[in-house]
């Protein structure tokens, strides 16, 4: 049976044909899903416009809007097993990881609910006594939320929760591969009592449906997570329409091991930073810089850890890496490994797909470490989005910063050292949006996230993340009973 999509509060078949959702581990079909047509896009956006302007939503008090999000969090939590299984079927990540993402979505909804109900407008300080000034925050209108396939539900709630809490309506276009989990999320918002029309989930191709959504004149904000090329296109469209964007884009993050690092801690952290999610993470620590004195010792330990990682069926327990999203993506990862070889790199471990037995029908790739390249190599400059780590050497802090900052990206970095002064100094000198010191890939909803340089514009999360879905209005209230005096 073809799955329905969620158009302005109605479940029905989209008018744009169908797509299939595949389980990446064995290529079996999870479901056939209908997709939105351009008419569906128009309808969803027009109804979203009516819904956010409706006084029953516009005037709803923040704590009442928050109540819906608290309920969303509760429902997500009670359904954690089922939702993590569904996500694993959608994108092939191990169940332990998808469970983490589901729990993080619940935590986000709850945190944003609290931020919403405790958010204060401001009485601004006044320099004259005959008027009072206020700064209030209002919704922007219809928000386009466009999400990728690597961390669905978490990245979707990260956009939906603050956008709705701020009083907007949202049209969500999930990645084609992970539409099932996004549709399930719509059911959860519906069950939590979100009024009709405020949310649509339009399944379809990015270049067609995503493009039509962001170009629609009633869409007043784009919140996007995905690749830098797409993000740049969206920024052009936003510039033309003079609307704001939050763009969370690609990365090529350095992870740095100083000679005073705790080698065991660092080796495990570096392996986790690149190989969890099979490297399919914008924040993956894909460029490893090791200080020359510990280069051999560190690499030896990292290699042992890497070779002990279990690549396998994502529904099995004890698996570290599941399948890549699909065969096309695996081929792209493999092309980068071949490029690395052409550029003079050597494979320390991995470097190939797993194709026999239980791996035969999926897209499994071994965790791969490459040595012998310089940071200027194409392999070190472009995002691979797979389980491929390039290990390089550095001499001192100056040399390290030169190499680490030599990237068009600036999403994240890891620093492994026992010297807190050095950690501080290097974290301030790295041109990135997030630094992890003696840890990697840890997230908290209370901490703003976003990139420097071509890794993005704007910040999500944090108590003030909700502000990016609001516009500020200043109000002057005259208190003087006399007419305005003419300026002299
Ligand atoms: P990824 O490499 O993570 O798939 P993409 O940028 O291709 O990154 O995709 C992220 C999201 O953006 C997906 O939901 C995709 O469908 C959507 N998308 C892709 N191209 C466009 C486009 N031209 N306009 C709007 N959305 C798009």
């Amino acid at each position: 049976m073809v799955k329905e999509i969620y158009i302005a509060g109605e479940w029905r078949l989209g008018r744009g044909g169908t797509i299939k959702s595949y389980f990446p581990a064995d290529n079996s079909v999870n479901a056939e899903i209908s997709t939105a047509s351009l008419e569906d896009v128009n309808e969803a956006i027009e109804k979203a416009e009516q819904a956010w302007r409706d006084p029953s939503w516009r005037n709803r008090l923040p704590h009442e809007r928050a109540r819906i999000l608290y309920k969303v969090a509760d429902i997500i939590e009670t359904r954690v097993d089922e939702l993590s299984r569904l996500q694993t079927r959608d994108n092939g990540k191990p169940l332990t990881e998808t469970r983490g993402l589901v729990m993080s979505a619940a935590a986000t909804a709850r945190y944003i609910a609290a931020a919403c109900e405790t958010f204060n407008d401001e009485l601004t300080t006044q320099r004259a006594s005959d008027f009072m000034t206020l700064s209030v925050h209002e919704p922007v209108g219809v928000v386009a939320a466009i999400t990728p396939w690597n961390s669905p539900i978490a990245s979707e709630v990260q956009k939906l929760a603050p956008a709705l809490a701020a009083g907007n309506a949202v049209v969500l276009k999930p990645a084609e591969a992970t539409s099932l989990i996004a549709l399930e999320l719509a059911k959860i918002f519906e069950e939590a009592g979100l009024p009709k029309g405020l949310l649509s989930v339009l399944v379809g191709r990015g270049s067609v449906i995503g493009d039509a959504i962001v170009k629609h004149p009633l869409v007043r904000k784009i919140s996007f997570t995905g690749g830098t090329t797409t993000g740049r296109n969206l920024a052009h469209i936003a510039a033309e329409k003079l609307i704001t964007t939050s763009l969370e884009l690609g990365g090529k993050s350095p992870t740095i091991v100083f000679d005073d690092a705790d080698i065991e801690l660092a080796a495990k952290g570096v392996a986790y930073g690149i190989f969890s999610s099979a490297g399919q993470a914008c924040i993956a620590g894909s460029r490893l810089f090791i200080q020359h004195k510990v280069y051999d010792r560190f690499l030896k330990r990292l290699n042992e850890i890497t070779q002990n990682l279990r690549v396998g069926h994502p529904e099995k327990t004890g698996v570290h890496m599941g399948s890549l999203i699909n065969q096309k993506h695996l081929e792209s990862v493999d092309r980068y490994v071949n490029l690395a070889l052409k550029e003079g790199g050597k494979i320390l471990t991995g470097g190939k797909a797993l194709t026999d037995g239980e791996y035969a029908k999926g897209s499994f790739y071994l965790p791969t470490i490459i040595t012998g390249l310089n940071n200027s190599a194409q392999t070190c400059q472009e995002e691979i989005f797979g389980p491929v780590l390039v290990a390089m050497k550095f001499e001192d802090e100056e040399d390290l910063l030169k190499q680490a900052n030599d990237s068009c990206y600036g999403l994240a970095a890891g620093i492994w050292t026992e010297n807190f002064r050095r950690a501080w100094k290097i974290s301030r000198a790295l041109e990135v949006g997030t630094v992890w010191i003696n840890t990697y890939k840890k997230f908290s909803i209370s901490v703003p996230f976003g990139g420097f340089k071509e890794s993005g514009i704007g910040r999500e999360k944090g108590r003030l993340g909700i502000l990016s879905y609001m516009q500020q209005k200043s109000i002057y209230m005259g208190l003087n009973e006399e007419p305005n005096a003419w300026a002299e």
Side-chain angles (χ1 to χ4, degrees):
M1 209 176 68
V2 177
K3 263 192 102 70
E4 295 172 329
I5 57 174
Y6 193 55
I7 306 171
E10 305 290 341
W11 289 99
R12 59 161 211 248
L13 293 178
R15 288 167 280 184
T18 63
I19 55 167
K20 285 189 177 130
S21 149
Y22 297 93
F23 182 29
D26 62 12
N27 253 320
S28 57
V29 176
N30 294 320
E32 188 171 2
I33 313 168
S34 75
T35 66
S37 67
L38 297 179
E39 289 161 278
D40 295 329
V41 169
N42 287 337
E43 184 185 336
I45 294 174
E46 279 157 22
K47 291 198 172 146
E49 175 73 8
Q50 288 163 16
W52 82 267
R53 286 184 182 279
D54 188 323
S56 71
W57 183 246
R58 260 210 97 142
N59 300 339
R60 194 173 293 202
L61 294 171
H63 73 278
E64 290 168 339
R65 287 206 288 265
R67 198 174 296 154
I68 296 174
L69 292 180
Y70 285 123
K71 202 145 175 216
V72 164
D74 290 344
I75 301 172
I76 291 177
E77 240 169 37
T78 52
R79 294 178 55 190
V80 57
D81 290 334
E82 174 206 341
L83 292 170
S84 30
R85 268 199 307 277
L86 181 62
Q87 188 179 141
T88 290
R89 298 293 304 187
D90 250 0
N91 73 2
K93 278 190 177 189
L95 278 173
T96 41
E97 269 189 45
T98 50
R99 196 182 165 85
L101 290 166
V102 172
M103 292 310 281
S104 129
T108 299
R110 208 166 271 136
Y111 180 88
I112 299 293
C116 170
E117 65 179 343
T118 56
F119 182 82
N120 286 328
D121 285 323
E122 281 172 69
L123 186 66
T124 42
T125 51
Q126 212 20 269
R127 302 179 76 85
S129 58
D130 55 356
F131 54 90
M132 183 169 80
T133 51
L134 300 120
S135 166
V136 297
H137 296 81
E138 300 192 346
V140 291
V142 181
V143 173
I146 301 184
T147 49
W149 45 261
N150 60 325
S151 303
I153 204 166
S155 47
E156 272 116 30
V157 174
Q158 210 164 296
K159 297 184 189 316
L160 262 50
L164 293 166
N168 303 288
V170 183
V171 175
L172 169 66
K173 211 302 285 170
E176 294 85 318
T178 47
S179 301
L180 284 180
I181 190 87
L183 291 168
E184 209 51 40
L185 190 60
K187 285 202 186 123
I188 291 172
F189 273 91
E190 190 178 42
E191 190 186 332
L194 186 75
K196 266 190 197 315
L198 287 168
L199 175 63
S200 286
V201 178
L202 302 184
V203 173
R205 291 216 0 238
S207 55
V208 182
I209 296 307
D211 182 69
I213 295 170
V214 296
K215 284 185 177 155
H216 195 289
L218 290 174
V219 166
R220 303 308 302 157
K221 152 109 195 170
I222 302 169
S223 180
F224 171 80
T225 302
T228 292
T229 309
T230 313
R232 189 174 275 119
N233 281 339
L234 298 186
H236 279 292
I237 295 167
E240 203 52 52
K241 292 175 68 180
L242 285 178
I243 62 171
T244 60
T245 52
S246 334
L247 304 174
E248 262 193 41
L249 310 176
K252 192 77 187 177
S253 298
T255 180
I256 300 153
V257 180
F258 282 100
D259 55 17
D260 63 359
D262 175 330
I263 297 291
E264 192 59 22
L265 187 82
K268 287 185 173 143
V270 166
Y272 175 75
I274 179 69
F275 298 128
S276 57
S277 307
Q280 302 169 114
C282 52
I283 46 172
S286 50
R287 289 184 297 147
L288 169 63
F289 294 102
I290 312 168
Q291 199 157 18
H292 65 104
K293 263 199 248 163
V294 291
Y295 183 86
D296 291 334
R297 186 153 67 96
F298 183 82
L299 213 50
K300 182 167 174 286
R301 183 64 191 124
L302 178 68
N303 194 15
E304 283 163 10
I305 292 168
T306 305
Q307 290 186 0
N308 281 326
L309 292 177
R310 278 186 296 279
V311 181
H313 195 283
E315 287 174 325
K316 278 194 188 153
T317 47
V319 162
H320 297 105
M321 285 169 51
S323 169
L324 298 184
I325 188 75
N326 55 38
Q327 198 59 22
K328 190 166 158 237
H329 187 53
L330 181 143
E331 283 159 18
S332 152
V333 170
D334 198 47
R335 265 198 304 280
Y336 271 110
V337 172
N338 287 324
L339 171 70
L341 295 178
K342 279 201 203 103
E343 291 187 299
K346 291 191 185 62
I347 293 172
L348 182 66
T349 185
K352 60 174 194 284
L354 290 165
T355 50
D356 296 334
E358 64 167 318
Y359 303 113
K361 290 186 181 153
S363 305
F364 296 90
Y365 206 86
L366 279 171
T368 301
I369 303 176
I370 290 168
T371 59
L373 289 178
N374 290 323
N375 187 59
S376 56
Q378 200 180 336
T379 317
C380 300
Q381 292 291 323
E382 294 180 12
E383 187 177 37
I384 300 175
F385 220 69
V388 181
L389 177 71
V390 181
M392 291 169 277
K393 218 180 260 186
F394 71 94
E395 288 299 316
D396 51 23
E397 290 177 9
E398 193 189 347
D399 176 36
L400 177 265
L401 286 172
K402 217 163 105 205
Q403 297 191 63
N405 283 336
D406 176 22
S407 172
C408 67
Y409 294 112
L411 195 56
I415 301 172
W416 302 89
T417 176
E418 295 295 295
N419 179 337
F420 75 89
R421 283 188 203 86
R422 170 184 269 169
W424 174 251
K425 190 168 139 198
I426 299 298
S427 61
R428 295 309 300 260
L430 287 167
E431 294 164 0
V432 299
T434 295
V435 177
W436 285 289
I437 300 166
N438 292 332
T439 184
Y440 202 89
K441 220 175 169 188
K442 289 293 161 205
F443 273 131
S444 167
I445 175 63
S446 57
V447 182
F449 178 72
F452 280 25
K453 303 200 268 190
E454 292 182 29
S455 289
I457 297 176
R459 296 290 175 268
E460 287 195 298
K461 313 207 292 189
R463 210 163 56 81
L464 298 181
I466 196 169
L467 278 178
S468 73
Y469 295 96
M470 292 171 152
Q471 46 193 345
Q472 208 167 5
K473 180 183 279 179
S474 303
I475 302 179
Y476 288 70
M477 287 174 70
L479 303 175
N480 200 336
E481 286 168 19
E482 302 299 317
N484 274 8
W486 284 90
E488 288 174 0

